[in-house]
Amino acid sequence: HDTRIQDGELADEAAERLVRTIDLILGNYVTKEQLLQEQADATGGEPTPTAGGAAMAAYREREVAAQETEREVLGLVPIVSEVVLRGLRDLQHEQFARHAPRLFPLLCELLVVNSREVRLMVKEVFLQHMTPTVCSESRPAAFSPPARAVTTD
C-alpha cells in the first residue's frame, strides 16, 4: 500500500474514485446476473418437434442470448471478486464506513448471485467492515448464537 495515498491528502479523493468505480462495476454485474436469472426462468424447455419453425427460432434466439449473458457474467466474476471486492475489503475502516450507505445495498444484492466466489468475498467484506460496526467493544467479534433459555414443564 502506498502511504502517500493512504495517509496523504489524496486518500479521500482516491477512495471516492474507487467507490464510484466499484458502484459502476457492481451495478453492472448485478444487472447482468439478474438478467441471466430472468433468462433462465423465461427460456423454459425446448419446444416439441411439432412446434413451428418460429417457435424453434425464438427458442434458439433466447438460448443464444442466455449463453452470451452467462459468458459476460462469468467474465466479470474474477474482476468483481479478486479486484473490486478485495479492494473494498482492504479499505481502511473509516473510508469504508464513509461510503457504506452507498455500498451496502449493492453488497446485499451480491449475496444472492450464483457465484460462490463472489458471495464468499462479500462475506469477507462484511466480516472486515461490518463486524466492528455491529459488535460493540464489550462483545467478542466472532458470532456466537444467544444462549437459549431452558424451560422445564
Side-chain angles (χ1 to χ4, degrees), residues 4-46:
R4 293 174 299 168
I5 293 177
Q6 285 186 348
D7 299 331
E9 58 197 47
L10 299 176
D12 290 336
E13 182 183 332
E16 177 58 35
R17 286 178 49 202
L18 176 64
V19 170
R20 222 175 314 138
T21 303
I22 287 170
D23 194 27
L24 290 171
I25 293 169
L26 294 183
N28 183 39
Y29 177 74
V30 165
T31 299
K32 287 186 184 309
E33 175 75 28
Q34 290 170 343
L35 177 62
L36 182 62
Q37 290 176 9
E38 289 169 9
Q39 288 171 333
D41 292 342
T43 301
E46 191 171 344

Side-chain angles (χ1 to χ4, degrees), residues 88-109:
L88 273 179
R89 182 196 65 193
D90 295 344
L91 273 177
Q92 292 180 3
H93 182 68
E94 298 77 27
Q95 291 171 329
F96 182 88
R98 198 173 313 133
H99 301 286
R102 192 157 113 199
L103 296 171
F104 188 75
L106 279 172
L107 292 171
C108 288
E109 289 288 338

Side-chain angles (χ1 to χ4, degrees), residues 2 8 18 20-21 25 38 57 60-61 68 75 80 83 95 102 106 109 115 117 126 129 136-137 142 148:
D2 189 340
L18 176 64
R20 222 175 314 138
T21 303
I25 293 169
E38 289 169 9
R60 285 191 192 112
E61 190 174 306
E68 179 58 30
V80 168
V83 178
Q95 291 171 329
R102 192 157 113 199
L106 279 172
E109 289 288 338
S115 171
E117 185 180 343
F126 279 162
H129 293 293
S136 69
E137 296 296 324
R148 294 181 181 225

Side-chain angles (χ1 to χ4, degrees), residues 73-86:
V73 167
L74 291 175
L76 285 170
V77 166
I79 296 166
V80 168
S81 64
E82 297 170 19
V83 178
V84 175
L85 292 174
R86 186 164 290 162

